[in-house]
Amino acid sequence: MDFRSVATPSLEGTGKTASLAVGGLILGILYYLRLRFNIYKERRKTILQHGCKPPSRFPVRDPLLGLDVIYNAIRSVKRKTFLSDTKSHYEKYGNTHTSRLTTYPVLCTIEPENIKTVISTNFKDFVTGTSRRMAFGPFMAKSILVADGVEWEHSRAFLKPSFARSQVGDLATLEVHVENLIKAMPRDGSTMDLAELFLRYTADVTTDFMFGESILSLPQPEAFAGDLTNACRDAQLGAEHRFRLGVFADIVPNRAFYRALKKVHAYMDAHVDKTLSQRRAQKELEGDGLSDTGRFIFSKELAKLTDDRLVLRDQLLAIFMAGRDTTAALLSNIFFVLARNLEVWKKLREEINSLNGRKPTLDELKGLRYLGFCLNESKKVVMMWPDIVLMWVSRSSQAIPYSSRIISYRDEGHYSSERWRRRWGIPGLSF
């Protein structure tokens, strides 16, 4: 037998495979170079248009993947020094400087005019970007938090009608949960964790508003699904961790994150299925000439616009996280600062006492101007949302994270309603 006749086809096949591989590699390199050239032209155009000066550079030892930046960020989080470390970076390298997030170039800024440009003046020139989509993708891929362009506009139009003032001003429902909050506070003078109580309060209010039934974590703490609270926390922390990992997010194991997602999604899926079932029943009633005269329920209103289970779940999940966490953070912050200045507390009580113990209407609440000033100042001093949400990407593929938290921390958390007095001509107090 002539083995040469057998070996030749095999060698020819190997040669063709190698040629295809080399050709594919060359095409990939050419595509990458063309992409980088287009990005360079776009950035150059922006620089010339606005007269931008080159920013200072944060020292990155790994210029390819920025692994040292990832390592330092994760270490700072574990040591609970992330805020102070980031603040020191801005102090050393300036209010605007460059860095890297894995393979992405990053322009870090706390310059107010830059932030204004991103979130207001030139908002349409920026997108949420790959980093946020990768971080939040497994969590709530169809939510407004990760939407861009037309999809974002669609999500906004989808959600906006359900936030009409007449719909969210259900003070009677709020009153029930406020009473539960007060009852949950110890009366024996013992120390309590207001932050934990506020988280339970906002979870009760948000689930009542969204689904028409509250989880009642305040009056029934032992029956409350503690696993759900822990799962929400683990899912959020997992998303932040994925954000810092960048392109490595799907490579590095994160079992706690996916376990948490399973629990959170199961809770939301159950309510979505129930809402869709009720919507089908409502359509039958409408076909019989009857209508639903019940109170406003957010999930039911959304179900009138779509029957896509995934869209409903992710949009509701985004609203739940926002309604629960940011409101609890605001309440915790305002009580933290009020407890440290009796004069502000007294002035606020004087305004509240003008109601003479009567439950206010929505218009009367809006008319409590000093209360509004205190809340606005609290939001200015201590940010209520995670920095992961504050990441945008320009059309030239420049990632731009900005940090209201660092701006506040840079001012050392100085609380001053004097700022609002100067703006509105009303006496203020500082501490």
Side-chain angles (χ1 to χ4, degrees):
M1 180 178 181
D2 188 355
F3 289 98
R4 289 175 295 178
S5 60
V6 178
T8 300
S10 176
L11 291 174
E12 290 178 353
T14 303
K16 290 181 180 179
T17 302
S19 298
L20 289 173
V22 172
L25 179 61
I26 293 173
L27 288 175
I29 292 174
L30 290 175
Y31 173 79
Y32 175 78
L33 292 175
R34 176 63 182 271
L35 179 64
R36 298 303 302 175
F37 179 70
N38 289 338
I39 290 173
Y40 168 79
K41 286 199 305 181
E42 187 70 27
R43 290 178 183 168
R44 188 64 183 169
K45 178 182 176 181
T46 302
I47 289 171
L48 294 175
Q49 181 180 353
H50 299 284
C52 302
K53 296 180 180 179
S56 59
R57 293 177 178 271
F58 180 85
V60 180
R61 295 181 180 178
D62 179 4
L64 182 63
L65 298 176
L67 295 177
D68 56 310
V69 177
I70 297 174
Y71 173 78
N72 290 334
I74 294 174
R75 183 179 62 177
S76 294
V77 170
K78 290 182 177 179
R79 292 181 176 180
K80 301 187 185 302
T81 60
F82 183 77
L83 189 60
S84 58
D85 290 346
T86 306
K87 176 175 177 283
S88 67
H89 294 164
Y90 282 106
E91 290 174 344
K92 187 173 182 179
Y93 302 105
N95 287 357
T96 301
H97 58 266
T98 61
S99 183
R100 291 196 71 81
L101 180 65
T102 60
T103 59
Y104 306 108
V106 174
L107 188 67
C108 305
T109 187
I110 56 172
E111 193 64 45
E113 283 302 314
N114 290 339
I115 296 173
K116 180 181 177 182
T117 298
V118 173
I119 65 176
S120 178
T121 311
N122 296 348
F123 177 75
K124 292 184 178 180
D125 291 338
F126 298 87
V127 296
T128 57
T130 304
S131 297
R132 194 196 300 185
R133 288 195 294 272
M134 288 184 66
F136 278 104
F139 197 2
M140 50 182 85
K142 297 292 184 178
S143 76
I144 193 172
L145 290 180
V146 294
D148 276 323
V150 175
E151 186 180 350
W152 181 86
E153 292 177 358
H154 176 74
S155 290
R156 186 175 183 273
F158 178 69
L159 295 171
K160 187 177 180 179
S162 298
F163 282 102
R165 187 181 178 201
S166 59
Q167 304 289 17
V168 299
D170 187 359
L171 299 184
T173 298
L174 287 177
E175 180 68 22
V176 172
H177 299 296
V178 169
E179 290 178 356
N180 289 337
L181 173 63
I182 295 173
K183 290 177 183 177
M185 296 180 181
R187 303 304 177 92
D188 57 1
S190 59
T191 301
M192 59 181 170
D193 185 356
L194 275 178
E196 177 61 29
L197 290 178
F198 287 145
L199 273 173
R200 287 159 56 187
Y201 163 74
T202 53
D204 288 357
V205 172
T206 305
T207 50
D208 204 348
F209 167 70
M210 290 201 313
F211 305 123
E213 55 183 55
S214 172
I215 54 178
L216 297 175
S217 63
L218 283 169
Q220 304 172 17
E222 69 286 345
F224 174 57
D227 283 349
L228 178 62
T229 303
N230 295 333
C232 290
R233 178 201 63 205
D234 292 343
Q236 288 172 301
L237 291 176
E240 284 191 40
H241 187 65
R242 287 174 58 83
F243 178 75
R244 294 188 182 97
L245 289 173
V247 296
F248 303 106
D250 292 326
I251 299 175
V252 178
N254 196 345
R255 294 181 181 179
F257 173 66
Y258 288 102
R259 283 198 300 266
L261 285 188
K262 186 176 181 180
K263 293 177 182 178
V264 173
H265 286 169
Y267 173 77
M268 287 293 170
D269 285 339
H271 280 287
V272 168
D273 289 340
K274 181 178 179 180
T275 298
L276 290 175
S277 177
Q278 291 173 341
R279 176 60 184 157
R280 287 191 289 269
Q282 176 61 27
K283 285 183 177 180
E284 294 178 2
L285 288 175
E286 291 172 353
D288 294 334
L290 302 175
S291 61
D292 184 7
T293 58
R295 70 181 180 91
F296 174 85
I297 297 174
F298 188 78
S299 58
K300 286 186 177 181
E301 295 303 309
L302 292 188
K304 293 177 182 179
L305 304 176
T306 183
D307 58 0
D308 188 315
R309 291 180 72 256
L310 187 57
V311 170
L312 283 173
R313 185 194 72 186
D314 288 357
Q315 297 286 19
L316 288 169
L317 185 52
I319 298 302
F320 173 75
M321 291 297 182
R324 172 182 177 265
D325 292 354
T326 57
T327 308
L330 174 60
L331 290 171
S332 300
N333 295 339
I334 188 67
F335 274 85
F336 179 85
V337 295
L338 288 176
R340 283 154 178 77
N341 192 283
L342 186 59
E343 293 303 315
V344 176
W345 174 260
K346 286 181 178 179
K347 188 173 182 63
L348 186 57
R349 279 185 61 85
E350 287 177 8
E351 183 178 63
I352 301 299
N353 286 337
S354 65
L355 296 170
N356 297 317
R358 177 176 46 81
K359 296 176 182 178
T361 64
L362 193 61
D363 287 330
E364 287 174 329
L365 275 178
K366 187 178 180 180
L368 298 174
R369 301 187 71 188
Y370 193 73
L371 171 61
F373 297 159
C374 289
L375 292 173
N376 285 334
E377 182 65 5
S378 178
K379 289 187 288 185
K380 181 182 186 302
V381 172
V382 185
M383 194 176 66
M384 302 180 301
W385 46 85
D387 279 1
I388 186 175
V389 178
L390 308 182
M391 165 72 84
W392 299 88
V393 179
S394 66
R395 288 180 177 176
S396 59
S397 299
Q398 182 86 42
I400 305 177
Y402 62 90
S403 179
S404 298
R405 180 178 290 139
I406 299 300
I407 295 174
S408 301
Y409 190 68
R410 183 183 58 180
D411 295 334
E412 297 182 353
H414 179 66
Y415 183 98
S416 173
S417 56
E418 183 70 18
R419 279 185 277 259
W420 301 96
R421 183 197 69 78
R422 290 195 298 267
R423 181 175 296 180
W424 301 102
I426 290 180
L429 295 165
S430 304
F431 62 95

